[in-house]
Amino acid sequence: MSQIPSSPIDYNFDTDPGKFTFQVGSNNSDFLLGTDDRDYLLGKGGDDILVAKGGRDYLEGGNGDDWLSGGGDSMVEDRFAFDKNDGHDTITDFVPQCEICILIFPGPEGDRIVLLDGEQEDIDAVTKGVTETPAGDAVLHYGETDITLAGIEASDVKADWFLLG
């Protein structure tokens, strides 16, 4: 691929291209399966399932009720991106900080949630307005978008988990 797609977050695709896959879904419900390398998965419309397997991944479900998995590897940093009208999405394996990586300098910063077209006030509103599912999973509210963080408690959500894009 000669042209790297522009991303709201500079993920060093230009300066450190390495090996990565770029997949774009349709306006229907799609299943996008990544690789063990870096993935850029964009679901677009429909109720999508995006699964990255390893590497530093960027996942954006788009409109619809999406299910996003970065691969669960705490040794790499994934980015999960949302705009204010993305529906009801679930991140299955958000890892805000690699516990063992704290001993490594510099270690990975952990997964991050990208608020597309957001401002600092949006981060403040999202972190203050966290609710939870009956199972105790944190639910973030960004505009009309609800983001469930499976396995994360509402009281654990921190502002430094978010990036603006």
Side-chain angles (χ1 to χ4, degrees):
M1 175 179 284
S2 60
Q3 181 65 25
I4 305 297
S6 63
S7 166
I9 298 298
D10 177 9
Y11 223 21
N12 295 323
F13 284 121
D14 291 325
T15 58
D16 181 23
K19 186 176 180 183
F20 75 95
T21 60
F22 180 72
Q23 296 182 51
V24 178
S26 66
N27 285 325
N28 299 312
S29 296
D30 299 302
F31 177 77
L32 302 179
L33 179 62
T35 67
D36 289 328
D37 295 308
R38 291 184 292 172
D39 299 305
Y40 189 113
L41 306 177
L42 176 59
K44 294 185 80 175
D47 298 340
D48 304 311
I49 298 173
L50 280 58
V51 179
K53 292 168 65 179
R56 294 173 51 208
D57 305 309
Y58 178 92
L59 296 87
E60 183 178 342
N63 295 336
D65 300 338
D66 305 311
W67 189 82
L68 312 171
S69 173
D73 187 348
S74 65
M75 296 294 287
V76 293
E77 308 142 346
D78 295 321
R79 300 292 183 261
F80 300 93
F82 305 91
D83 71 25
K84 292 182 179 181
N85 297 296
D86 276 349
H88 303 280
D89 297 341
T90 299
I91 301 174
T92 65
D93 59 349
F94 187 76
V95 182
Q97 184 171 6
C98 169
E99 295 301 322
I100 196 168
C101 299
I102 295 172
L103 304 174
I104 302 170
F105 186 79
E109 67 179 17
D111 295 344
R112 294 294 178 259
I113 297 168
V114 181
L115 301 180
L116 300 173
D117 298 320
E119 299 178 4
Q120 183 59 46
E121 294 80 24
D122 294 312
I123 293 175
D124 297 339
V126 168
T127 56
K128 289 178 182 163
V130 178
T131 60
E132 64 184 26
T133 67
D137 296 327
V139 180
L140 313 174
H141 307 281
Y142 178 50
E144 299 299 316
T145 301
D146 295 327
I147 306 159
T148 300
L149 300 178
I152 303 286
E153 295 181 11
S155 61
D156 292 335
V157 175
K158 301 192 178 10
D160 66 355
W161 295 1
F162 298 88
L163 300 171
L164 300 173

